[in-house]
């Protein structure tokens, strides 16, 4: 109960949150396959990883990578 009061998550949801945040970083900073990223962050099943990822982002890992990598880059004031 103290953990949930402190973090706002139960322990399981918190660990999934941490894993998904790391997965988001890897999706954008590497060209690793999604299955490899799933294993890297601690999921042994790609389908379960995709389900949890979507519950946090409303996107599949593939869609998240495509959407974020295709965003226009902010232009700097000196351009």
């Amino acid at each position: 109960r103290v953990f949930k009061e402190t973090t706002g998550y139960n322990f399981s949801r918190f660990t999934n949150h941490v894993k998904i945040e790391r997965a988001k970083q890897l999706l954008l900073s590497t060209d690793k396959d999604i299955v490899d990223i799933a294993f890297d962050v601690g999921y042994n099943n790609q389908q379960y990883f995709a389900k949890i990822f979507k519950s946090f982002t409303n996107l599949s890992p593939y869609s998240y990578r495509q959407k974020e990598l295709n965003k226009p880059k902010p232009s700097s004031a000196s351009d």
Side-chain angles (χ1 to χ4, degrees):
R1 186 179 331 200
V2 173
F3 187 87
K4 186 172 183 174
E5 290 171 1
T6 304
T7 65
Y9 295 109
N10 66 36
F11 186 74
S12 176
R13 184 90 173 147
F14 179 78
T15 57
N16 281 328
H17 172 75
V18 171
K19 290 177 182 182
I20 297 305
E21 289 302 310
R22 179 66 180 139
K24 287 165 57 176
Q25 292 172 349
L26 292 171
L27 285 165
L28 301 182
S29 65
T30 72
D31 59 356
K32 285 185 170 188
D33 289 337
I34 292 169
V35 66
D36 293 327
I37 291 173
F39 284 115
D40 287 351
V41 299
Y43 293 98
N44 296 324
N45 179 302
Q46 182 181 357
Q47 288 77 21
Y48 183 67
F49 166 69
K51 177 182 175 179
I52 298 299
F53 190 94
K54 191 167 188 175
S55 77
F56 278 91
T57 65
N58 293 319
L59 295 168
S60 70
Y62 176 82
S63 296
Y64 176 84
R65 177 182 264 170
Q66 294 305 308
K67 178 182 174 195
E68 293 299 315
L69 291 179
N70 291 321
K71 275 187 177 178
K73 305 282 188 270
S75 59
S76 64
S78 62
D79 284 349

